[in-house]
Amino acid sequence: MDMAVDTTAQRKAGAAALQWKAPAAMVLVQLIVTGMVLLSKVAIGDGMFIFALLAYRSFLGAAFILPFALIFESGKWKEMDWLACGWISFNAFIGYAVPMSLYYYGLRDTAPSYAIIFLNITPLITFILSLVFRMESLQLRTMAGSLKIVGVLLSVGGTMLISLYKGKTLHLWNPILHHHKDEQLEAASHQLRGTIILVGSSFAFACWYLIQSKVLKVYPYKYWSSMATCLVGGLQTALVGIILRQDRRAWKLGWDLQLVTIVYSGVLSTAGRYSLNSWAVAKHGPAYPPTFNPLSLVFTVVLGSIMIGDDMTVGSLLGATIVIAGLYIYLWAKSKS
């Protein structure tokens, strides 16, 4: 009798722990994303070559995912045939080399609090592409179908509001890094160019989501697939970078913020985020992690203002609120359809 009571108590304690561990892990993921965007903005603003950042980050990510592949998918690398290699190479190009290079160039021309929006609206663009290619039906007669459209329109409208309307600037605190103000003024003059580049990045990410299922069908081992994708993505970005800039100084690393950005992006933003998301999906399903994505927008607006002096305006706060509302409406409707 006592053993049964103890077992029941242990199960309740485990369930209670899971209730806070999963949300805490997902909040940590969004903080990791926020840190990656802010660090990348400062490093790129200080002159770091974007393709060097992409290549080093990808190689480091592959090195940290490799132990997971060796432990949890031991020997499965032998099943990687030429067809799988072809799809993984294409996956690396569409899912990493193209969207991340576009994203970093768009981030260079805009503020982090603006650029982060385009990471969040990727599921909405994926939905639009799914409709275009008839991979998903609109279902306007259902509540879920109608709310998806409402969510898309709200998110697009919020993004446009942030881009077109600034309003009063809110000076709530002094930034930690004061030198960033000059870069803000320079970036503001390239807002349109940065927006176009960021839209291209989001479309590339959306296309990657559509082909990801095909990759998993051809080679269903996620750790080896992710490791190989990071490795090939690093080779692709390194090749393009060498073509664009042969100067050795562009590839040289020192004990500075650029090295911190590479290590942070490779270890936490690639390997750490992937592990936490995989754990959450195993516990709560694939729809669970995206529900926390809008938090990265909130974190970036606040921490960007505190750390690097990004302007926090009435327009950015209103637009961010509308984008978050649209995303949650879409994600809720997606879970019900």
PDB file of all heavy atoms in Angstrom, residues 22-36 264 268-269 272-280 289-290 292-293 295-296 299:
ATOM      1  N   ALA A  22       8.869  22.426 -19.207  1.00  0.00           N
ATOM      2  CA  ALA A  22       8.659  22.642 -20.637  1.00  0.00           C
ATOM      3  C   ALA A  22       8.507  24.129 -20.972  1.00  0.00           C
ATOM      4  O   ALA A  22       9.200  24.631 -21.877  1.00  0.00           O
ATOM      5  CB  ALA A  22       7.444  21.839 -21.116  1.00  0.00           C
ATOM      6  N   PRO A  23       7.639  24.885 -20.274  1.00  0.00           N
ATOM      7  CA  PRO A  23       7.575  26.325 -20.563  1.00  0.00           C
ATOM      8  C   PRO A  23       8.891  27.043 -20.300  1.00  0.00           C
ATOM      9  O   PRO A  23       9.284  27.933 -21.063  1.00  0.00           O
ATOM     10  CB  PRO A  23       6.473  26.825 -19.611  1.00  0.00           C
ATOM     11  CG  PRO A  23       5.647  25.631 -19.309  1.00  0.00           C
ATOM     12  CD  PRO A  23       6.602  24.479 -19.308  1.00  0.00           C
ATOM     13  N   ALA A  24       9.584  26.649 -19.223  1.00  0.00           N
ATOM     14  CA  ALA A  24      10.868  27.285 -18.915  1.00  0.00           C
ATOM     15  C   ALA A  24      11.883  27.031 -20.029  1.00  0.00           C
ATOM     16  O   ALA A  24      12.646  27.930 -20.411  1.00  0.00           O
ATOM     17  CB  ALA A  24      11.406  26.757 -17.583  1.00  0.00           C
ATOM     18  N   ALA A  25      11.884  25.818 -20.568  1.00  0.00           N
ATOM     19  CA  ALA A  25      12.804  25.490 -21.663  1.00  0.00           C
ATOM     20  C   ALA A  25      12.494  26.310 -22.905  1.00  0.00           C
ATOM     21  O   ALA A  25      13.400  26.796 -23.596  1.00  0.00           O
ATOM     22  CB  ALA A  25      12.721  23.997 -21.984  1.00  0.00           C
ATOM     23  N   MET A  26      11.210  26.504 -23.201  1.00  0.00           N
ATOM     24  CA  MET A  26      10.820  27.261 -24.389  1.00  0.00           C
ATOM     25  C   MET A  26      11.101  28.756 -24.216  1.00  0.00           C
ATOM     26  O   MET A  26      11.477  29.442 -25.180  1.00  0.00           O
ATOM     27  CB  MET A  26       9.334  27.030 -24.692  1.00  0.00           C
ATOM     28  CG  MET A  26       9.000  25.606 -25.114  1.00  0.00           C
ATOM     29  SD  MET A  26       9.848  25.080 -26.639  1.00  0.00           S
ATOM     30  CE  MET A  26      11.311  24.257 -25.977  1.00  0.00           C
ATOM     31  N   VAL A  27      10.935  29.280 -23.008  1.00  0.00           N
ATOM     32  CA  VAL A  27      11.306  30.675 -22.750  1.00  0.00           C
ATOM     33  C   VAL A  27      12.819  30.845 -22.911  1.00  0.00           C
ATOM     34  O   VAL A  27      13.291  31.839 -23.478  1.00  0.00           O
ATOM     35  CB  VAL A  27      10.858  31.094 -21.337  1.00  0.00           C
ATOM     36  CG1 VAL A  27      11.447  32.458 -20.974  1.00  0.00           C
ATOM     37  CG2 VAL A  27       9.338  31.148 -21.251  1.00  0.00           C
ATOM     38  N   LEU A  28      13.584  29.853 -22.443  1.00  0.00           N
ATOM     39  CA  LEU A  28      15.037  29.888 -22.601  1.00  0.00           C
ATOM     40  C   LEU A  28      15.418  29.885 -24.084  1.00  0.00           C
ATOM     41  O   LEU A  28      16.343  30.599 -24.498  1.00  0.00           O
ATOM     42  CB  LEU A  28      15.667  28.693 -21.891  1.00  0.00           C
ATOM     43  CG  LEU A  28      17.200  28.574 -21.980  1.00  0.00           C
ATOM     44  CD1 LEU A  28      17.871  29.816 -21.409  1.00  0.00           C
ATOM     45  CD2 LEU A  28      17.678  27.311 -21.256  1.00  0.00           C
ATOM     46  N   VAL A  29      14.715  29.108 -24.895  1.00  0.00           N
ATOM     47  CA  VAL A  29      14.971  29.083 -26.342  1.00  0.00           C
ATOM     48  C   VAL A  29      14.794  30.475 -26.942  1.00  0.00           C
ATOM     49  O   VAL A  29      15.615  30.935 -27.751  1.00  0.00           O
ATOM     50  CB  VAL A  29      14.044  28.068 -27.034  1.00  0.00           C
ATOM     51  CG1 VAL A  29      14.042  28.278 -28.554  1.00  0.00           C
ATOM     52  CG2 VAL A  29      14.470  26.643 -26.719  1.00  0.00           C
ATOM     53  N   GLN A  30      13.730  31.162 -26.549  1.00  0.00           N
ATOM     54  CA  GLN A  30      13.483  32.500 -27.098  1.00  0.00           C
ATOM     55  C   GLN A  30      14.518  33.509 -26.619  1.00  0.00           C
ATOM     56  O   GLN A  30      14.892  34.427 -27.355  1.00  0.00           O
ATOM     57  CB  GLN A  30      12.065  32.956 -26.737  1.00  0.00           C
ATOM     58  CG  GLN A  30      10.961  32.061 -27.262  1.00  0.00           C
ATOM     59  CD  GLN A  30      11.126  31.718 -28.735  1.00  0.00           C
ATOM     60  OE1 GLN A  30      11.424  32.582 -29.559  1.00  0.00           O
ATOM     61  NE2 GLN A  30      10.947  30.439 -29.064  1.00  0.00           N
ATOM     62  N   LEU A  31      15.008  33.345 -25.397  1.00  0.00           N
ATOM     63  CA  LEU A  31      16.096  34.196 -24.922  1.00  0.00           C
ATOM     64  C   LEU A  31      17.385  33.928 -25.702  1.00  0.00           C
ATOM     65  O   LEU A  31      18.158  34.850 -25.994  1.00  0.00           O
ATOM     66  CB  LEU A  31      16.335  33.965 -23.431  1.00  0.00           C
ATOM     67  CG  LEU A  31      15.304  34.591 -22.482  1.00  0.00           C
ATOM     68  CD1 LEU A  31      15.529  34.103 -21.051  1.00  0.00           C
ATOM     69  CD2 LEU A  31      15.367  36.115 -22.538  1.00  0.00           C
ATOM     70  N   ILE A  32      17.609  32.665 -26.048  1.00  0.00           N
ATOM     71  CA  ILE A  32      18.772  32.305 -26.866  1.00  0.00           C
ATOM     72  C   ILE A  32      18.688  32.964 -28.236  1.00  0.00           C
ATOM     73  O   ILE A  32      19.669  33.512 -28.749  1.00  0.00           O
ATOM     74  CB  ILE A  32      18.881  30.770 -26.998  1.00  0.00           C
ATOM     75  CG1 ILE A  32      19.305  30.152 -25.654  1.00  0.00           C
ATOM     76  CG2 ILE A  32      19.885  30.392 -28.087  1.00  0.00           C
ATOM     77  CD1 ILE A  32      19.253  28.634 -25.645  1.00  0.00           C
ATOM     78  N   VAL A  33      17.496  32.911 -28.853  1.00  0.00           N
ATOM     79  CA  VAL A  33      17.292  33.547 -30.163  1.00  0.00           C
ATOM     80  C   VAL A  33      17.539  35.051 -30.065  1.00  0.00           C
ATOM     81  O   VAL A  33      18.211  35.646 -30.924  1.00  0.00           O
ATOM     82  CB  VAL A  33      15.857  33.266 -30.672  1.00  0.00           C
ATOM     83  CG1 VAL A  33      15.568  34.085 -31.936  1.00  0.00           C
ATOM     84  CG2 VAL A  33      15.672  31.784 -30.957  1.00  0.00           C
ATOM     85  N   THR A  34      17.011  35.671 -29.002  1.00  0.00           N
ATOM     86  CA  THR A  34      17.201  37.106 -28.804  1.00  0.00           C
ATOM     87  C   THR A  34      18.683  37.445 -28.668  1.00  0.00           C
ATOM     88  O   THR A  34      19.177  38.398 -29.287  1.00  0.00           O
ATOM     89  CB  THR A  34      16.447  37.572 -27.543  1.00  0.00           C
ATOM     90  OG1 THR A  34      15.053  37.314 -27.707  1.00  0.00           O
ATOM     91  CG2 THR A  34      16.655  39.058 -27.304  1.00  0.00           C
ATOM     92  N   GLY A  35      19.401  36.663 -27.876  1.00  0.00           N
ATOM     93  CA  GLY A  35      20.832  36.891 -27.713  1.00  0.00           C
ATOM     94  C   GLY A  35      21.588  36.745 -29.017  1.00  0.00           C
ATOM     95  O   GLY A  35      22.516  37.522 -29.310  1.00  0.00           O
ATOM     96  N   MET A  36      21.204  35.760 -29.824  1.00  0.00           N
ATOM     97  CA  MET A  36      21.859  35.551 -31.116  1.00  0.00           C
ATOM     98  C   MET A  36      21.670  36.762 -32.032  1.00  0.00           C
ATOM     99  O   MET A  36      22.624  37.231 -32.671  1.00  0.00           O
ATOM    100  CB  MET A  36      21.292  34.292 -31.783  1.00  0.00           C
ATOM    101  CG  MET A  36      21.944  33.910 -33.115  1.00  0.00           C
ATOM    102  SD  MET A  36      21.160  34.671 -34.571  1.00  0.00           S
ATOM    103  CE  MET A  36      19.576  33.826 -34.581  1.00  0.00           C
ATOM    104  N   TYR A 264      28.557  31.484 -29.300  1.00  0.00           N
ATOM    105  CA  TYR A 264      27.168  31.559 -28.842  1.00  0.00           C
ATOM    106  C   TYR A 264      26.225  31.015 -29.917  1.00  0.00           C
ATOM    107  O   TYR A 264      25.327  30.209 -29.624  1.00  0.00           O
ATOM    108  CB  TYR A 264      26.817  33.010 -28.513  1.00  0.00           C
ATOM    109  CG  TYR A 264      25.419  33.210 -27.980  1.00  0.00           C
ATOM    110  CD1 TYR A 264      25.188  33.310 -26.606  1.00  0.00           C
ATOM    111  CD2 TYR A 264      24.327  33.314 -28.830  1.00  0.00           C
ATOM    112  CE1 TYR A 264      23.905  33.502 -26.104  1.00  0.00           C
ATOM    113  CE2 TYR A 264      23.046  33.495 -28.347  1.00  0.00           C
ATOM    114  CZ  TYR A 264      22.838  33.592 -26.987  1.00  0.00           C
ATOM    115  OH  TYR A 264      21.561  33.770 -26.506  1.00  0.00           O
ATOM    116  N   LEU A 268      24.865  27.523 -28.523  1.00  0.00           N
ATOM    117  CA  LEU A 268      23.526  27.736 -27.958  1.00  0.00           C
ATOM    118  C   LEU A 268      22.447  27.839 -29.030  1.00  0.00           C
ATOM    119  O   LEU A 268      21.431  27.145 -28.974  1.00  0.00           O
ATOM    120  CB  LEU A 268      23.524  28.997 -27.087  1.00  0.00           C
ATOM    121  CG  LEU A 268      24.313  28.913 -25.790  1.00  0.00           C
ATOM    122  CD1 LEU A 268      24.259  30.238 -25.047  1.00  0.00           C
ATOM    123  CD2 LEU A 268      23.773  27.797 -24.897  1.00  0.00           C
ATOM    124  N   SER A 269      22.667  28.709 -30.017  1.00  0.00           N
ATOM    125  CA  SER A 269      21.616  28.958 -31.002  1.00  0.00           C
ATOM    126  C   SER A 269      21.408  27.790 -31.952  1.00  0.00           C
ATOM    127  O   SER A 269      20.318  27.643 -32.509  1.00  0.00           O
ATOM    128  CB  SER A 269      21.953  30.222 -31.799  1.00  0.00           C
ATOM    129  OG  SER A 269      20.880  30.586 -32.634  1.00  0.00           O
ATOM    130  N   GLY A 272      22.116  23.934 -28.775  1.00  0.00           N
ATOM    131  CA  GLY A 272      21.275  24.047 -27.587  1.00  0.00           C
ATOM    132  C   GLY A 272      19.811  24.236 -27.916  1.00  0.00           C
ATOM    133  O   GLY A 272      18.936  23.565 -27.353  1.00  0.00           O
ATOM    134  N   ARG A 273      19.530  25.131 -28.824  1.00  0.00           N
ATOM    135  CA  ARG A 273      18.135  25.375 -29.207  1.00  0.00           C
ATOM    136  C   ARG A 273      17.514  24.140 -29.846  1.00  0.00           C
ATOM    137  O   ARG A 273      16.362  23.800 -29.582  1.00  0.00           O
ATOM    138  CB  ARG A 273      18.068  26.565 -30.173  1.00  0.00           C
ATOM    139  CG  ARG A 273      16.652  26.968 -30.546  1.00  0.00           C
ATOM    140  CD  ARG A 273      16.625  28.216 -31.387  1.00  0.00           C
ATOM    141  NE  ARG A 273      17.416  28.082 -32.605  1.00  0.00           N
ATOM    142  CZ  ARG A 273      17.324  28.920 -33.639  1.00  0.00           C
ATOM    143  NH1 ARG A 273      16.521  29.947 -33.588  1.00  0.00           N
ATOM    144  NH2 ARG A 273      18.066  28.738 -34.706  1.00  0.00           N
ATOM    145  N   TYR A 274      18.292  23.447 -30.675  1.00  0.00           N
ATOM    146  CA  TYR A 274      17.780  22.248 -31.330  1.00  0.00           C
ATOM    147  C   TYR A 274      17.432  21.173 -30.296  1.00  0.00           C
ATOM    148  O   TYR A 274      16.380  20.535 -30.375  1.00  0.00           O
ATOM    149  CB  TYR A 274      18.824  21.707 -32.311  1.00  0.00           C
ATOM    150  CG  TYR A 274      18.414  20.420 -32.993  1.00  0.00           C
ATOM    151  CD1 TYR A 274      17.583  20.436 -34.102  1.00  0.00           C
ATOM    152  CD2 TYR A 274      18.855  19.183 -32.515  1.00  0.00           C
ATOM    153  CE1 TYR A 274      17.197  19.262 -34.725  1.00  0.00           C
ATOM    154  CE2 TYR A 274      18.475  18.010 -33.122  1.00  0.00           C
ATOM    155  CZ  TYR A 274      17.661  18.059 -34.227  1.00  0.00           C
ATOM    156  OH  TYR A 274      17.269  16.892 -34.831  1.00  0.00           O
ATOM    157  N   SER A 275      18.302  20.995 -29.313  1.00  0.00           N
ATOM    158  CA  SER A 275      18.069  19.966 -28.299  1.00  0.00           C
ATOM    159  C   SER A 275      16.830  20.277 -27.463  1.00  0.00           C
ATOM    160  O   SER A 275      16.004  19.397 -27.193  1.00  0.00           O
ATOM    161  CB  SER A 275      19.294  19.839 -27.391  1.00  0.00           C
ATOM    162  OG  SER A 275      20.440  19.491 -28.141  1.00  0.00           O
ATOM    163  N   LEU A 276      16.681  21.540 -27.052  1.00  0.00           N
ATOM    164  CA  LEU A 276      15.528  21.926 -26.242  1.00  0.00           C
ATOM    165  C   LEU A 276      14.226  21.801 -27.029  1.00  0.00           C
ATOM    166  O   LEU A 276      13.207  21.321 -26.502  1.00  0.00           O
ATOM    167  CB  LEU A 276      15.703  23.359 -25.738  1.00  0.00           C
ATOM    168  CG  LEU A 276      16.768  23.571 -24.664  1.00  0.00           C
ATOM    169  CD1 LEU A 276      16.990  25.053 -24.409  1.00  0.00           C
ATOM    170  CD2 LEU A 276      16.386  22.855 -23.373  1.00  0.00           C
ATOM    171  N   ASN A 277      14.257  22.219 -28.289  1.00  0.00           N
ATOM    172  CA  ASN A 277      13.049  22.089 -29.116  1.00  0.00           C
ATOM    173  C   ASN A 277      12.676  20.629 -29.348  1.00  0.00           C
ATOM    174  O   ASN A 277      11.495  20.267 -29.317  1.00  0.00           O
ATOM    175  CB  ASN A 277      13.251  22.796 -30.460  1.00  0.00           C
ATOM    176  CG  ASN A 277      12.975  24.284 -30.383  1.00  0.00           C
ATOM    177  OD1 ASN A 277      12.182  24.739 -29.558  1.00  0.00           O
ATOM    178  ND2 ASN A 277      13.622  25.052 -31.234  1.00  0.00           N
ATOM    179  N   SER A 278      13.679  19.791 -29.580  1.00  0.00           N
ATOM    180  CA  SER A 278      13.415  18.365 -29.799  1.00  0.00           C
ATOM    181  C   SER A 278      12.800  17.728 -28.561  1.00  0.00           C
ATOM    182  O   SER A 278      11.870  16.916 -28.646  1.00  0.00           O
ATOM    183  CB  SER A 278      14.717  17.638 -30.172  1.00  0.00           C
ATOM    184  OG  SER A 278      15.252  18.136 -31.370  1.00  0.00           O
ATOM    185  N   TRP A 279      13.308  18.097 -27.380  1.00  0.00           N
ATOM    186  CA  TRP A 279      12.754  17.580 -26.125  1.00  0.00           C
ATOM    187  C   TRP A 279      11.305  18.025 -25.944  1.00  0.00           C
ATOM    188  O   TRP A 279      10.451  17.237 -25.555  1.00  0.00           O
ATOM    189  CB  TRP A 279      13.608  18.062 -24.961  1.00  0.00           C
ATOM    190  CG  TRP A 279      13.067  17.673 -23.617  1.00  0.00           C
ATOM    191  CD1 TRP A 279      13.161  16.453 -23.011  1.00  0.00           C
ATOM    192  CD2 TRP A 279      12.321  18.505 -22.726  1.00  0.00           C
ATOM    193  NE1 TRP A 279      12.529  16.477 -21.789  1.00  0.00           N
ATOM    194  CE2 TRP A 279      12.008  17.719 -21.581  1.00  0.00           C
ATOM    195  CE3 TRP A 279      11.907  19.829 -22.772  1.00  0.00           C
ATOM    196  CZ2 TRP A 279      11.286  18.236 -20.506  1.00  0.00           C
ATOM    197  CZ3 TRP A 279      11.196  20.342 -21.709  1.00  0.00           C
ATOM    198  CH2 TRP A 279      10.888  19.547 -20.587  1.00  0.00           C
ATOM    199  N   ALA A 280      11.015  19.296 -26.231  1.00  0.00           N
ATOM    200  CA  ALA A 280       9.658  19.817 -26.078  1.00  0.00           C
ATOM    201  C   ALA A 280       8.697  19.154 -27.061  1.00  0.00           C
ATOM    202  O   ALA A 280       7.553  18.837 -26.709  1.00  0.00           O
ATOM    203  CB  ALA A 280       9.649  21.329 -26.278  1.00  0.00           C
ATOM    204  N   PRO A 289       6.393  24.197 -29.442  1.00  0.00           N
ATOM    205  CA  PRO A 289       7.437  25.231 -29.459  1.00  0.00           C
ATOM    206  C   PRO A 289       7.049  26.521 -30.185  1.00  0.00           C
ATOM    207  O   PRO A 289       7.374  27.607 -29.679  1.00  0.00           O
ATOM    208  CB  PRO A 289       8.613  24.519 -30.159  1.00  0.00           C
ATOM    209  CG  PRO A 289       8.395  23.079 -29.872  1.00  0.00           C
ATOM    210  CD  PRO A 289       6.907  22.893 -29.911  1.00  0.00           C
ATOM    211  N   PRO A 290       6.356  26.463 -31.351  1.00  0.00           N
ATOM    212  CA  PRO A 290       6.038  27.728 -32.040  1.00  0.00           C
ATOM    213  C   PRO A 290       5.160  28.678 -31.240  1.00  0.00           C
ATOM    214  O   PRO A 290       5.175  29.884 -31.502  1.00  0.00           O
ATOM    215  CB  PRO A 290       5.316  27.263 -33.312  1.00  0.00           C
ATOM    216  CG  PRO A 290       5.783  25.878 -33.549  1.00  0.00           C
ATOM    217  CD  PRO A 290       5.968  25.301 -32.183  1.00  0.00           C
ATOM    218  N   PHE A 292       5.608  29.762 -28.424  1.00  0.00           N
ATOM    219  CA  PHE A 292       6.450  30.653 -27.625  1.00  0.00           C
ATOM    220  C   PHE A 292       7.273  31.607 -28.487  1.00  0.00           C
ATOM    221  O   PHE A 292       7.948  32.493 -27.952  1.00  0.00           O
ATOM    222  CB  PHE A 292       7.397  29.836 -26.735  1.00  0.00           C
ATOM    223  CG  PHE A 292       6.707  29.105 -25.622  1.00  0.00           C
ATOM    224  CD1 PHE A 292       6.118  27.864 -25.837  1.00  0.00           C
ATOM    225  CD2 PHE A 292       6.627  29.650 -24.350  1.00  0.00           C
ATOM    226  CE1 PHE A 292       5.474  27.172 -24.817  1.00  0.00           C
ATOM    227  CE2 PHE A 292       5.987  28.977 -23.317  1.00  0.00           C
ATOM    228  CZ  PHE A 292       5.400  27.739 -23.554  1.00  0.00           C
ATOM    229  N   ASN A 293       7.239  31.449 -29.815  1.00  0.00           N
ATOM    230  CA  ASN A 293       8.064  32.268 -30.699  1.00  0.00           C
ATOM    231  C   ASN A 293       7.846  33.769 -30.542  1.00  0.00           C
ATOM    232  O   ASN A 293       8.806  34.543 -30.592  1.00  0.00           O
ATOM    233  CB  ASN A 293       7.839  31.864 -32.159  1.00  0.00           C
ATOM    234  CG  ASN A 293       8.505  30.554 -32.502  1.00  0.00           C
ATOM    235  OD1 ASN A 293       9.250  29.994 -31.704  1.00  0.00           O
ATOM    236  ND2 ASN A 293       8.240  30.042 -33.685  1.00  0.00           N
ATOM    237  N   LEU A 295       7.515  35.497 -28.060  1.00  0.00           N
ATOM    238  CA  LEU A 295       8.248  36.045 -26.922  1.00  0.00           C
ATOM    239  C   LEU A 295       9.591  36.636 -27.349  1.00  0.00           C
ATOM    240  O   LEU A 295      10.074  37.601 -26.733  1.00  0.00           O
ATOM    241  CB  LEU A 295       8.485  34.958 -25.871  1.00  0.00           C
ATOM    242  CG  LEU A 295       7.268  34.484 -25.073  1.00  0.00           C
ATOM    243  CD1 LEU A 295       7.672  33.376 -24.114  1.00  0.00           C
ATOM    244  CD2 LEU A 295       6.635  35.636 -24.317  1.00  0.00           C
ATOM    245  N   SER A 296      10.198  36.076 -28.403  1.00  0.00           N
ATOM    246  CA  SER A 296      11.483  36.607 -28.867  1.00  0.00           C
ATOM    247  C   SER A 296      11.335  38.048 -29.342  1.00  0.00           C
ATOM    248  O   SER A 296      12.271  38.852 -29.214  1.00  0.00           O
ATOM    249  CB  SER A 296      12.054  35.729 -29.983  1.00  0.00           C
ATOM    250  OG  SER A 296      11.219  35.749 -31.131  1.00  0.00           O
ATOM    251  N   PHE A 299      11.240  40.112 -26.098  1.00  0.00           N
ATOM    252  CA  PHE A 299      12.575  40.149 -25.505  1.00  0.00           C
ATOM    253  C   PHE A 299      13.516  41.054 -26.303  1.00  0.00           C
ATOM    254  O   PHE A 299      14.319  41.799 -25.736  1.00  0.00           O
ATOM    255  CB  PHE A 299      13.167  38.738 -25.426  1.00  0.00           C
ATOM    256  CG  PHE A 299      12.459  37.828 -24.471  1.00  0.00           C
ATOM    257  CD1 PHE A 299      12.454  36.452 -24.663  1.00  0.00           C
ATOM    258  CD2 PHE A 299      11.778  38.334 -23.380  1.00  0.00           C
ATOM    259  CE1 PHE A 299      11.803  35.602 -23.783  1.00  0.00           C
ATOM    260  CE2 PHE A 299      11.122  37.498 -22.484  1.00  0.00           C
ATOM    261  CZ  PHE A 299      11.133  36.139 -22.693  1.00  0.00           C
TER     262      PHE A 299
END
